[in-house]
Amino acid sequence: MTGVRAARRRTAAPRAVAAPALEWRVQLRHGVPAAAAALAVLWTAVLAAVPAAWAPTAAVHLLIVDTAGFGVLFAVVLVLFERAEGGRALLAVTPLRPIEYITARTAVLTALSAGMAVPLTLAAARERSAAALAALPPALLGVSLLSLLLVALALAACGGAQGVGVLFTRLPLVAPLVAAPAARVSGAVEHPLLFAVPTTGGAELIRAGLLPHAAPGFWVLAPAALYLLACAAGAVLLACRAVAPETAAPPAGEPGRAAANTAPNPAVPDAVPAGVPRAGAPARAGAATARPRGGAVAGLARIDLRGLLRDPMLSAMLLGPAVVALLLRWGYPPARGFLADRYGLDAGAIGPVLLAALVVLHVPLMIGAIAALRTVEDADDGTLPLLRVSPLGLGRYLAYRLAAAGAAAGAGLAAAVPLSGLAGEVPADRVPALVAALALAALQAPLLVLATTAFAPSKVAALVLIKAAGAVFTLLPVAVWWLPARAVWAAAPLPLFWPVAVLPGYGAAPWPAGLAAGLAEAALAGAWLVRRTFRRLGSGG
């Protein structure tokens, strides 16, 4: 018996090394480290452009809100991708245990977050170069502990999910763990009970590195860090339980992948319109000639409408713009007063930037991301090959998805801009420019769908592209606002530039000329992306 235990210990040691190495190769193949590197370069450049006196404060919030949570979405989407490919079921016939699987995933994603934090911390602490290196240990420890907890909780909450809709149902439950410490370090809420939220300890460690004069002392930080570590360990165990059912041995005679691929998927029937043959369905007399009322496109639209309340992705597409607008309407006035009182910052002076970044470009980003993930999921679950030989056809399916994304973005902007209250000071003679900006902004949603389908072969790669696009959508309005007038035209080849250029308050281009240029660029970019999409999917139309 002792010899068996010794043999198990000897085999466990190589697995502990091999599992993270394999996880790294998987993430490298999907482009996750590349996304981390690109975001690190981008945010480091932003912090370098921020005045040195404000850079540490900006970096603290950026490390908490963005860098520490970098791996959350990727952790969940990797699990969903592995399930679709049958990889999760294959774990049943390998010696890899759930704890080793979860540890490898959280370790690699946490290491990426910590690696991103290094250049950001150094750029933020450049004013006190002698203390820049001293800021790294507490800042990296805080980012690492936060990332470990957030990734493990995401896996625990979503480990048993069946589709990307979980990103809109369970994953938002992690948001308060980021909002609470962000509110504390900003000074908006400073009650000691916030230390009951485990992530507060990680946020205070980050602040201790970059803003040591504002952070609590060692005897507060040490217990808070230990509390956070204990919660992270508990989250890892919960994540192991979430993935354990799929690592159990499959029934005899059913290989892991076959069992995964032949399991009933309740999402597939709703994904294929009437008149389209389904995989494994017996042929019926007259089935080939059966057509849904109004045509195949109308059938697909009716499926989406029937699933509007059941499908969290469609619900988010419908309600998301209004929710964002109402949050801005109720949250912006007190936030503006807080910034003026605490930091002496007049947010009203940058009203056009907030309107552009938080509404005009954020709404099409949100809707385009949802539509893109829905389209890539259809490709992953095998729906697109069926559509290619159906009366609907791949061309009309893609046209429907693009038209739906554009229409949803236009309707969302029409509702969100007045609801947000940020456009209330636009003079009457500038309303045509605002309408032109919104029309050009709505086109960015189908362009994002096309870019994702053209370049992303899986949900993981789609998320990499969407995350990079999110940074560009957010930072472009800031760059166009602050850069010299001639420098902003370097962004003119991007279709995304023109909604900002004609928006009231920017005035980079007169709206008639900007509208024409934006429409022309969107048409050229869309045509190129459509051709690339058809080539990638192996169809001529």
Side-chain angles (χ1 to χ4, degrees), residues 325-386:
L326 291 175
L327 288 175
L328 287 171
R329 188 178 191 90
W330 296 329
Y332 174 67
R336 180 177 177 178
F338 170 76
L339 291 173
D341 295 339
R342 188 173 183 88
Y343 300 106
L345 176 64
D346 181 14
I350 57 172
V353 180
L354 299 176
L355 176 63
L358 301 181
V359 181
V360 174
L361 293 187
H362 183 73
V363 169
L365 169 65
M366 178 172 57
I367 291 175
I370 294 171
L373 287 173
R374 181 67 177 268
T375 306
V376 174
E377 187 179 37
D378 285 346
D380 280 353
D381 66 17
T383 300
L384 292 190
L386 297 177

Side-chain angles (χ1 to χ4, degrees), residues 31-132:
V32 180
L39 288 175
V41 171
L42 182 63
W43 291 125
T44 301
V46 170
L47 290 174
V50 173
W54 290 99
T57 301
V60 168
H61 291 83
L62 187 59
L63 290 172
I64 295 170
V65 174
D66 184 81
T67 307
F70 168 80
V72 170
L73 288 173
F74 288 111
V76 176
V77 175
L78 280 166
V79 169
L80 298 177
F81 177 76
E82 289 167 352
R83 177 178 291 110
E85 294 294 304
R88 294 285 300 282
L90 287 176
L91 289 175
V93 294
T94 68
L96 192 68
R97 294 179 297 175
I99 185 65
E100 294 164 338
Y101 170 78
I102 294 296
T103 301
R105 177 142 299 166
T106 54
V108 172
L109 291 172
T110 297
L112 289 174
S113 292
M116 294 171 62
V118 172
L120 272 66
T121 302
L122 295 176
R126 64 186 183 276
E127 189 178 35
R128 48 189 188 94
S129 55

Side-chain angles (χ1 to χ4, degrees), residues 64-528:
I64 295 170
V65 174
D66 184 81
T67 307
F70 168 80
V72 170
L73 288 173
F74 288 111
V76 176
V77 175
L78 280 166
V79 169
L80 298 177
F81 177 76
E82 289 167 352
R83 177 178 291 110
E85 294 294 304
R88 294 285 300 282
L90 287 176
L91 289 175
V93 294
T94 68
L96 192 68
R97 294 179 297 175
I99 185 65
E100 294 164 338
Y101 170 78
I102 294 296
T103 301
R105 177 142 299 166
T106 54
V108 172
L109 291 172
T110 297
L112 289 174
S113 292
M116 294 171 62
V118 172
L120 272 66
T121 302
L122 295 176
R126 64 186 183 276
E127 189 178 35
R128 48 189 188 94
S129 55
L133 293 178
L136 281 176
L140 294 185
L141 178 60
V143 169
S144 299
L145 290 176
L146 280 176
S147 176
L148 179 62
L149 175 63
L150 294 175
V151 171
L153 282 177
L155 289 171
C158 308
Q162 295 295 327
V164 293
V166 72
L167 300 177
F168 306 95
T169 54
R170 301 182 193 176
L171 202 57
L173 299 176
V174 180
L177 295 177
V178 177
R184 177 175 170 81
V185 299
S186 69
V189 182
E190 296 182 338
H191 200 282
L193 283 179
L194 281 177
F195 278 98
V197 181
T199 47
T200 302
E204 291 294 354
L205 282 170
I206 296 172
R207 183 158 66 163
L210 289 165
L211 299 169
H213 60 279
F218 172 81
W219 297 108
V220 175
L221 289 176
L226 291 175
Y227 174 51
L228 173 56
L229 182 61
C231 291
V236 168
L237 295 178
L238 290 175
C240 293
R241 293 187 61 183
V243 303
E246 287 190 66
T247 59
E254 295 185 17
R257 175 152 188 151
N261 289 342
T262 58
N265 184 355
V268 171
D270 285 343
V272 183
V276 177
R278 295 189 179 95
R284 295 179 300 168
T289 58
R291 293 293 183 93
R293 187 175 52 194
V297 174
L300 186 58
R302 282 195 294 271
I303 289 173
D304 281 346
L305 290 174
R306 283 201 303 268
L308 196 59
L309 298 179
R310 293 181 303 160
D311 190 333
M313 297 181 72
L314 295 178
S315 300
M317 185 181 291
L318 177 68
L319 301 176
V323 172
V324 170
L326 291 175
L327 288 175
L328 287 171
R329 188 178 191 90
W330 296 329
Y332 174 67
R336 180 177 177 178
F338 170 76
L339 291 173
D341 295 339
R342 188 173 183 88
Y343 300 106
L345 176 64
D346 181 14
I350 57 172
V353 180
L354 299 176
L355 176 63
L358 301 181
V359 181
V360 174
L361 293 187
H362 183 73
V363 169
L365 169 65
M366 178 172 57
I367 291 175
I370 294 171
L373 287 173
R374 181 67 177 268
T375 306
V376 174
E377 187 179 37
D378 285 346
D380 280 353
D381 66 17
T383 300
L384 292 190
L386 297 177
L387 293 172
R388 191 179 295 124
V389 297
S390 73
L392 180 64
L394 185 58
R396 280 189 288 178
Y397 165 83
L398 187 60
Y400 166 76
R401 289 292 184 211
L402 296 177
L413 285 168
V417 169
L419 276 178
S420 69
L422 295 177
E425 298 181 1
V426 176
D429 62 330
R430 298 294 293 157
V431 171
L434 177 61
V435 173
L438 299 185
L440 292 173
L443 294 177
Q444 308 311 309
L447 286 178
L448 181 57
V449 176
L450 278 173
T452 306
T453 56
F455 291 99
S458 67
K459 287 189 283 284
V460 184
L463 186 59
V464 170
L465 192 149
I466 290 169
K467 198 165 183 67
V472 176
F473 272 67
T474 303
L475 292 177
L476 183 68
V478 180
V480 174
W481 180 264
W482 267 291
L483 286 176
R486 292 184 178 180
V488 301
W489 289 98
L494 297 175
L496 192 64
F497 167 78
W498 295 101
V500 179
V502 302
L503 189 69
Y506 280 87
W511 74 263
L515 179 61
L519 290 174
E521 282 196 13
L524 291 173
W528 177 70

Side-chain angles (χ1 to χ4, degrees), residues 447 450 520-535:
L447 286 178
L450 278 173
E521 282 196 13
L524 291 173
W528 177 70
L529 290 171
V530 165
R531 288 196 300 269
R532 183 176 176 87
T533 296
F534 281 126
R535 286 200 304 268

